[in-house]
Amino acid sequence: MNLSEDVLKGIETLSDEKLINDSVFKHIIDTCFLVILKKKTESDLFDNKAVSSVDTIALKQTFSAFIVFILESMKINYDQSSISDLLEEHKLSSSRIDFISNYFKEYRVAIRKHLSVTNFHFPHIIDVNWRLDLFMKSNAVEKLNTPVYLINLTTEQEENVKGKVQFAATLDQLQDLVFKLRDAQKQIERSSIKS
Amino acid sequence: MDKVFNVGKLVDFQWKLGVSIASNHSSQLNTPFITVFVKVLDSNSEVTSHSFELTIPEFKNFAQQFKDMSNMIETL
């Protein structure tokens, strides 16, 4: 794992029990993991009273360094023992290593999942609702009897921005859409077999 | 007068009567509804489209209000 000197220095700062006491240490680690999962923001780092005794610049450096460390290790799916070894190399005590390891155990899957859907362009479909309607009459035609599917897609962009895509489709149009989706699915299966 | 106070003009009004048969929540809906499609020419001379759906009780209320308006016009 390629980590810059700044990141390694920041991790080493976490081993300094005089500069960063246990309550501050726990608060930093907790905030780092929850910021990545967007359950907290960076400003929450300074909400803890214990943090006031720590130099702000050192605190920010340590925080950003550990965020990078989490992201880099999750990007390559670094295993628990390798993470522990790296932390040990940078002088962290066994109790602090255990504390960090527990966080990795708890949030590994969630962070990996979160990283896999991090997207800067297109929204993701998070929900699909459909309804089948039968139109019987209209102002123009006395007898219609036309089946129409209404599709409602709920999308999500980064920062939890939700959107809606709504459209109507005839049976033929819907079948065409289903065939195209199946075709895409087959292509994915083929490419995953190759890799 | 029209130039001074323009709240928009109704350009087109279409409706459809339909029945919701099924959805991802229920396989037996059988709920009748009215879909209304309205085109309005607004004060900026732009045509905007609006569509909405009404249940039968909502439509009855909607229609009743138009009947009331019509009755008012008759009294003028």
Side-chain angles (χ1 to χ4, degrees), chain A residues 129 131-134 136-137, chain B residues 17-22 24 53:
Chain A
N129 286 298
R131 198 178 80 195
L132 172 60
D133 291 343
L134 182 70
M136 293 149 71
K137 282 185 181 185
Chain B
L17 167 65
V19 178
S20 296
I21 296 167
N24 57 308
E53 207 174 84

